[in-house]
Amino acid sequence: MALKTVIVTETFIEQEDVNLRRGLERFKRLNDVGVRAGIIEGLSEDYPDGMSVVEVATYNHEGTEHIPSRPWLTLAFDRNLPFMQAQMEAAANNILLGRTTIGRAMAQVGQQLSGMQRQSLQQLDTPPLSPRTIEAKRAARKAGRKKSSGFPADNPLIETGHLLEQHVFVVEGAGVVKNK
């Protein structure tokens, strides 16, 4: 009886060792995987009039001489960093234990990041638009020159909704996973 217990224990230990090695191999591959989320050149579609959505996003995020900085991407990251760190830790544990693949786990992280960025863009209200700009947006909507996005005219970053719709993510290094 004792011999059987020892054999079972050794077999169990050997199996655990194999699982641990497999988990560590998956974990090492994480170094070669990354997630990009936001307005991504080549994945995000330009405006119907040909204007680059990447340029529009950059001008609004960073600001220009005439456009104040409205860094919704940075705000989304900063506000959600502890949550995302916990999500990455959980994803790494699930990958290590073989509960999910690297691609699936990173796709979930990408979806969360992209959603947080869209939410940040929707909620951003500072610096406010000038009254003249708000009135021009309302007049353009009323005259039919701009479609209504369903957001108030005083939302500084949403006019037609196109910028909001162009937040995407891509998982690189685990077989490319793209989402739009």
Side-chain angles (χ1 to χ4, degrees):
M1 192 70 153
L3 184 56
K4 280 188 169 182
T5 304
V6 170
I7 291 173
V8 169
T9 304
E10 287 175 3
T11 303
F12 177 75
I13 290 170
E14 287 174 12
Q15 185 59 45
E16 285 297 308
D17 194 39
V18 168
N19 289 340
L20 182 59
R21 269 189 256 125
R22 287 182 185 151
L24 288 173
E25 287 170 14
R26 287 190 294 270
F27 199 69
K28 286 178 189 176
R29 286 190 300 231
L30 278 173
N31 288 327
D32 300 326
V33 176
V35 176
R36 288 189 301 149
I39 307 296
I40 301 174
E41 193 160 9
L43 295 178
S44 299
E45 294 177 19
D46 288 341
Y47 285 88
D49 65 2
M51 187 181 303
S52 167
V53 72
V54 172
E55 287 180 22
V56 169
T58 301
Y59 297 151
N60 280 289
H61 193 272
E62 301 298 324
T64 68
E65 181 181 338
H66 302 289
I67 300 171
S69 173
R70 293 183 172 104
W72 79 96
L73 296 169
T74 302
L75 290 170
F77 184 81
D78 291 348
R79 288 177 183 154
N80 294 291
L81 183 59
F83 174 76
M84 290 311 301
Q85 286 172 327
Q87 292 300 104
M88 291 297 291
E89 185 177 317
N93 285 334
N94 286 329
I95 292 164
L96 182 63
L97 296 172
R99 293 179 183 154
T100 189
T101 65
I102 294 171
R104 279 193 202 116
M106 295 299 101
Q108 288 174 339
V109 169
Q111 285 175 327
Q112 289 173 328
L113 284 171
S114 185
M116 290 171 185
Q117 292 168 348
R118 284 191 299 275
Q119 183 179 27
S120 180
L121 184 118
Q122 290 170 339
Q123 294 173 345
L124 189 79
D125 59 1
T126 59
L129 292 173
S130 73
R132 199 170 90 198
T133 303
I134 293 170
E135 189 51 44
K137 283 175 73 173
R138 285 187 180 133
R141 287 178 179 180
K142 191 174 183 178
R145 293 189 307 273
K146 295 282 185 180
K147 74 173 188 169
S148 175
S149 62
F151 289 90
D154 62 350
N155 185 301
L157 291 175
I158 302 177
E159 187 167 334
T160 64
H162 187 79
L163 181 63
L164 179 66
E165 295 166 357
Q166 297 311 308
H167 285 76
V168 298
F169 73 87
V170 62
V171 176
E172 298 169 322
V176 178
V177 178
K178 299 177 190 173
N179 180 326
K180 184 168 174 189

